[in-house]
Amino acid sequence: MRKSLISVIIPCYNEAENIPTLIRRINKALRNYHYEVILVNDGSTDNTLLELELASQGNEQIKYLSLSRNFGHQTALKAGIDYARGDCLVTIDADLQKPPEHIPAMITLWQKGYDIVTATCENQGQSTLFKKWSSRVYYRVLSWLADHPVISQGADFRLIDRKVADIIRRIQSQNLYLRGIFSWMGFSQTTYVYCEEKRHAGKTKYGLGKMLSLASNGITSFSIKPLRLALALGVFFAFLAFGYGIYAIVAVFIGKTVQGWASLIASVVFLSGIQLIVLGVIGEYVGKIYRELNQRPLYLISKSNLSDPVEDNTINQKLKQERRPVMT
Ligand code: UDP
Ligand code: MG
């Protein structure tokens, strides 16, 4: 019987110092398996690409894909998934916070029949208190908004079956939010609990700004509940304003029309604030529609030692045409 091929996909953004140790530990952890490693250089500005080229020399299992600029973690993952050939795919970070030694246990769960195995960290031991707290709150809100429970602490350390990867390959959304997609997908899923380690070298690429942007993308990609909330808020304040209007008329008749300035200003400012928030929520969705209509390829590849995606489908065909001229 043919041995299953395991693809390990690793997005790398300025991770040069981590690459040698990462490759060594993956090679060791997977020595009993038939595997390939696909490292996606997400527009790094340090020596990451050089390290990837070095690692792949004379080692057929190590493949790399260099994106033309920084497209973001989720898109880098998607690029890796598009090019992976494995019977199952494992996505993992480059910083060794998620130890590759756990991959065999996840493969065992896949062999038992699970299609998606999400590794969740029990401790989040090395994250800051703020990150731990904000991620807990965020996943609660997201699960409530998204109609599908999104596994909390389930960042992007995950094993997926080939059939799941094929579905991901067909999705060409500009507003890619993989963590949400997996929970929406169904299939037989399970979690695998592990303990997170300290980042091996370098520092986190997710500052507050990037975290907020990922969070807002996650929510607006998977739910129109914020739009409904905006409407509910609008109706609520319209009723309130109506009530206040009646009170104002009554106040005229009973001669109590003095000194209303402070309350008037306060309510105007407050209501304008609410209106701006509601407009902002709607704008976020309109922006998404605009980006989808542009139909740009999700990412561009500037360099790679990989051949083209597993098989052609009409959507990838378009991407391929875009890609060919820039490939070296
Ligand atoms: N990453 C990426 N592109 C980005 C940001 C991050 O490919 O724009 C990669 C990064 O190199 C790492 C993984 O995504 O392999 C997770 O990033 P990081 O460790 O900075 O996030 P944290 O663990 O702090 O949430
Ligand atoms: Mg990390």
Side-chain angles (χ1 to χ4, degrees):
M1 210 181 88
R2 186 179 73 91
K3 225 176 167 184
S4 300
L5 174 66
I6 319 289
S7 298
V8 181
I9 295 152
I10 314 173
C12 310
Y13 178 49
N14 294 343
E15 304 281 7
E17 295 157 273
N18 292 321
I19 307 291
T21 317
L22 174 73
I23 302 285
R24 188 172 46 75
R25 280 178 57 179
I26 287 189
N27 282 339
K28 192 164 172 231
L30 297 182
R31 63 190 177 282
N32 297 325
Y33 295 86
H34 177 37
Y35 68 96
E36 63 172 6
V37 182
I38 300 183
L39 296 130
V40 184
N41 173 30
D42 186 18
S44 302
T45 48
D46 67 352
N47 283 334
T48 299
L49 180 58
L50 194 72
E51 289 290 345
L52 299 189
E53 284 170 334
L54 279 175
S56 65
Q57 274 166 19
N59 194 344
E60 271 188 10
Q61 282 153 319
I62 311 293
K63 290 150 187 176
Y64 71 88
L65 210 63
S66 189
L67 305 186
S68 62
R69 63 166 171 85
N70 179 253
F71 280 88
H73 183 196
Q74 301 285 297
T75 306
L77 279 174
K78 162 85 166 107
I81 293 173
D82 286 349
Y83 279 79
R85 287 160 194 277
D87 299 292
C88 78
L89 283 63
V90 179
T91 56
I92 187 168
D93 290 353
D95 58 3
L96 292 160
Q97 256 180 313
K98 305 161 197 322
E101 289 73 22
H102 291 289
I103 297 176
M106 292 163 75
I107 296 174
T108 307
L109 287 169
W110 171 67
Q111 285 163 337
K112 282 186 183 158
Y114 289 106
D115 297 313
I116 301 176
V117 182
T118 305
T120 66
C121 58
E122 211 167 33
N123 55 336
Q124 268 200 316
Q126 309 309 331
S127 306
T128 60
L129 248 156
F130 172 72
K131 200 158 183 170
K132 280 186 212 175
W133 176 82
S134 58
S135 104
R136 199 168 312 142
V137 171
Y138 167 64
Y139 280 110
R140 286 249 168 92
V141 174
L142 185 61
S143 291
W144 177 68
L145 285 172
D147 297 331
H148 322 278
V150 176
I151 298 167
S152 80
Q153 321 308 348
D156 298 291
F157 186 13
R158 186 179 284 106
L159 178 146
I160 56 173
D161 183 70
R162 173 84 254 158
K163 65 169 178 268
V164 175
D166 283 339
I167 296 166
I168 304 284
R169 286 183 54 233
R170 264 180 258 139
I171 299 174
Q172 291 295 318
S173 170
Q174 298 284 335
N175 303 297
L176 190 67
Y177 186 69
L178 283 175
R179 290 177 204 179
I181 286 177
F182 291 115
S183 68
W184 161 85
M185 241 180 210
F187 292 118
S188 70
Q189 304 204 14
T190 189
T191 51
Y192 169 79
V193 181
Y194 72 104
C195 276
E196 198 166 75
E197 285 179 7
K198 232 193 180 105
R199 196 173 224 286
H200 180 255
K203 53 178 194 280
T204 176
K205 313 298 177 310
Y206 275 101
L208 187 62
K210 251 191 172 170
M211 255 160 64
L212 285 177
S213 138
L214 186 74
S216 127
N217 189 24
I219 290 172
T220 51
S221 294
F222 269 87
S223 172
I224 56 161
K225 270 191 196 163
L227 284 178
R228 296 208 183 114
L229 278 180
L231 183 69
L233 212 63
V235 171
F236 174 73
F237 279 103
F239 272 110
L240 216 64
F242 185 69
Y244 191 65
I246 292 179
Y247 163 76
I249 293 167
V250 172
V252 172
F253 283 111
I254 57 175
K256 262 182 86 184
T257 46
V258 279
Q259 288 178 358
W261 188 81
S263 66
L264 188 73
I265 289 295
S267 54
V268 165
V269 166
F270 182 63
L271 284 176
S272 331
I274 297 287
Q275 276 177 350
L276 286 176
I277 293 171
V278 169
L279 273 179
V281 172
I282 294 167
E284 182 76 12
Y285 283 94
V286 173
K288 290 211 152 168
I289 297 168
Y290 172 74
R291 278 172 59 196
E292 291 296 345
L293 286 178
N294 268 335
Q295 291 210 326
R296 262 176 286 190
L298 278 186
Y299 53 84
L300 295 170
I301 294 167
S302 58
K303 201 168 185 190
S304 167
N305 66 346
L306 265 164
S307 45
D308 278 344
V310 191
E311 86 229 10
D312 269 341
N313 58 39
T314 41
I315 303 159
N316 269 322
Q317 188 83 36
K318 197 168 158 274
L319 206 61
K320 229 169 101 185
Q321 283 162 5
E322 287 272 350
R323 196 185 308 128
R324 277 236 168 85
V326 286
M327 213 149 176
T328 47

